[in-house]
Amino acid sequence: MLTNMYKMLLFISSFLPLYVILIVQFSDFDKSLKYNIIEHKISYSILMVLIIISISSFLYFLFCKMNIEEDFGQIESANSEILSYFITYIVPLTTLKEDDINSIIINLILFLVIGVFYVSDNQFYLNVLFKFAGFNVYQDENKKIIISKKSADLISNKPHVTVKKVGNKVFLINKS
């Protein structure tokens, strides 16, 4: 199972599109790239570190080995939860003003509060990167969460599906 530290890294990765949006928001496209990098060096540096952490931590899901067998009941899509999660928090975070300390503090507090719930409640499957990488999120009748590239028909009511247990009642199937 995943450690809380790794869940925190996945939380950071769930906002990867936001980091790109913030780079665009902070950029002055009437100026050169060199000017923008110099003018926003702290913001860009922080965002680039977050982007690198996001990509690195997400790669685990693309290449980890399946190591146990699990049975699932009837499953249904839970993809809409990802979009709801992402949209709910992207709007306040895009109001960030890099030169306003109040805006930075408010957004850091919001980010920390969201992160505590995300990690403590095993909500790391609410990650928009799963959709970008072709994964779907399902939930079965026993409230098990399945993150998979397979269709629901190939998982639903099948005995002995090879998975990686990544959290309490959260399973990954990374092979198509």
Side-chain angles (χ1 to χ4, degrees), residues 34-139:
K34 182 179 177 182
Y35 170 85
N36 279 298
I37 291 172
I38 292 169
E39 185 69 21
H40 306 284
K41 64 182 164 228
I42 295 172
S43 299
Y44 281 13
S45 297
I46 291 169
L47 291 168
M48 289 308 297
V49 167
L50 291 171
I51 288 170
I52 291 167
I53 289 170
S54 297
I55 292 169
S56 301
S57 62
F58 189 74
L59 287 175
Y60 169 81
F61 277 91
L62 299 180
F63 300 109
C64 73
K65 301 277 188 234
M66 306 296 94
N67 60 359
I68 64 170
E69 290 188 351
E70 186 70 27
D71 300 331
F72 299 106
Q74 185 65 33
I75 66 169
E76 59 185 42
S77 176
N79 285 330
S80 62
E81 289 183 48
I82 295 172
L83 185 58
S84 297
Y85 169 81
F86 188 69
I87 295 301
T88 301
Y89 298 111
I90 197 167
V91 174
L93 292 171
T94 56
T95 62
L96 177 67
K97 293 178 178 57
E98 69 178 318
D99 58 352
D100 180 356
I101 192 68
N102 290 344
S103 174
I104 293 169
I105 292 170
I106 289 168
N107 279 282
L108 281 175
I109 291 169
L110 177 62
F111 201 69
L112 287 170
V113 169
I114 297 166
V116 167
F117 284 105
Y118 187 94
V119 171
S120 65
D121 290 346
N122 280 319
Q123 300 287 314
F124 56 88
Y125 62 89
L126 298 176
N127 191 321
V128 72
L129 295 183
F130 290 133
K131 285 307 294 174
F132 289 150
F135 286 90
N136 290 299
V137 178
Y138 304 108
Q139 185 171 13

Side-chain angles (χ1 to χ4, degrees), residues 1-4 7 61 68 70 72 118-125 138-140 142-147 163-172:
M1 289 210 299
L2 301 179
T3 64
N4 282 343
K7 290 176 195 176
F61 277 91
I68 64 170
E70 186 70 27
F72 299 106
Y118 187 94
V119 171
S120 65
D121 290 346
N122 280 319
Q123 300 287 314
F124 56 88
Y125 62 89
Y138 304 108
Q139 185 171 13
D140 81 351
N142 299 314
K143 304 291 185 205
K144 294 177 185 173
I145 300 293
I146 303 110
I147 304 165
V163 301
K164 171 85 173 174
K165 186 173 185 176
V166 292
N168 184 28
K169 289 189 162 193
V170 182
F171 302 89
L172 170 68

